[in-house]
Amino acid sequence: MENMSYWKEVWERKGNGNTKSLEELDGYEDTSADVKEIARQIVKELDIKETDKVLEVACGAGGLAQYIKCGEYVGVDYSSSLVKRHIELLNNSVLHGEANNLIFKDKTFDKVICFGAFHYFPNQEYAKQAISELKRVAKEAIFIGDLPLSSHRDTHLLYDKKDFDGWKVMDGYYNPCRFNVSLKLR
Ligand SMILES: C[S@@+](CC[C@H](N)C(=O)[O-])C[C@H]1O[C@@H](n2cnc3c(N)ncnc32)[C@H](O)[C@@H]1O
């Protein structure tokens, strides 16, 4: 784990624990988040249909994925231990990779989700690259959730609603210091 960033190391360690709880593996254990309800709201916001091909970037062990019913689900995460757990526990198609460098061709997915990950990114430049990758691989719509306006942790990258000009900006689902955004591409 030499040269690994602080958060990357945290998420790598997370997947090596003994728990089989997807919520715990994905870091929701100390929050008031109702992950099933969050998934329901995202499915509604993006109008995810049972025929849609969906990509979840920063999918973790599948805390959210377990509640997303769609035609085809693909996940990507930079924590190899969480990718392994996700495959073991949900048998989804999940790849190891960074949010700012997706291996997919343009417009591969109908809908693209990234929830609860942007505050772990190393800097704003990385976040811009990730947004442009989400836009590149999506055909119809994108949802980015749980963006922090402020945080009790100085290791969290913060965002401003003004950074999302042209996007639909919504309140966070369980934390008033967070917000969500979505973008329809057609
Ligand atoms: C709070 S968990 C959320 C997991 C999942 N989206 C959910 O809601 O259940 C954050 C996840 O983001 C992943 N992550 C953080 N930064 C990432 C990056 N730059 N590229 C890919 N994955 C990343 C972590 O490994 C972790 O699995």
Side-chain angles (χ1 to χ4, degrees):
M1 295 214 278
E2 219 177 303
N3 290 330
M4 208 181 257
S5 76
Y6 170 77
W7 282 115
K8 201 169 186 178
E9 201 174 325
V10 167
W11 290 113
E12 203 51 64
R13 232 182 297 124
K14 198 86 177 156
N16 289 325
N18 289 328
T19 182
K20 286 189 174 172
S21 156
L22 297 179
E23 273 84 355
E24 207 178 308
L25 285 165
D26 283 359
Y28 290 110
E29 68 278 18
D30 295 326
T31 71
S32 60
D34 175 345
V35 184
K36 187 174 185 180
E37 176 57 17
I38 290 171
R40 194 190 66 77
Q41 301 247 25
I42 295 173
V43 165
K44 187 168 165 227
E45 177 58 32
L46 287 186
D47 187 24
I48 294 177
K49 301 189 184 69
E50 293 204 348
T51 51
D52 278 339
K53 191 167 175 181
V54 173
L55 172 69
E56 185 185 6
V57 174
C59 60
L64 200 63
Q66 66 184 314
Y67 302 116
I68 296 174
K69 302 283 166 269
C70 58
E72 189 182 337
Y73 172 94
V74 178
V76 169
D77 202 283
Y78 73 179
S79 161
S80 46
S81 63
L82 287 173
V83 167
K84 188 165 170 270
R85 300 302 295 277
H86 192 145
I87 296 168
E88 272 167 18
L89 295 168
L90 294 180
N91 198 25
N92 275 337
S93 160
V94 184
L95 306 175
H96 180 244
E98 290 269 348
N100 72 339
N101 186 17
L102 301 174
I103 61 154
F104 311 104
K105 290 187 178 148
D106 296 2
K107 299 187 193 305
T108 302
F109 299 93
D110 299 304
K111 320 268 160 81
V112 176
I113 301 167
C114 185
F115 189 86
F118 266 58
H119 44 302
Y120 302 118
F121 291 173
N123 53 50
Q124 293 292 347
E125 185 52 34
Y126 186 106
K128 277 191 194 145
Q129 291 166 357
I131 291 171
S132 98
E133 281 293 81
L134 301 184
K135 284 182 173 170
R136 184 181 66 73
V137 301
K139 240 187 296 193
E140 289 183 34
I142 304 165
F143 181 95
I144 302 174
D146 226 19
L147 294 152
L149 293 160
S150 61
S151 174
H152 60 292
R153 283 187 182 260
D154 58 10
T155 43
H156 280 167
L157 191 66
L158 303 179
Y159 296 86
D160 193 318
K161 291 181 179 177
K162 287 203 288 278
D163 299 336
F164 292 89
D165 191 27
W167 292 63
K168 178 176 169 188
V169 177
M170 296 157 277
D171 288 341
Y173 291 142
Y174 68 99
N175 181 338
C177 300
R178 304 262 171 112
F179 67 102
N180 303 322
V181 296
S182 72
L183 184 69
K184 299 270 185 306
L185 299 169
R186 64 178 193 205

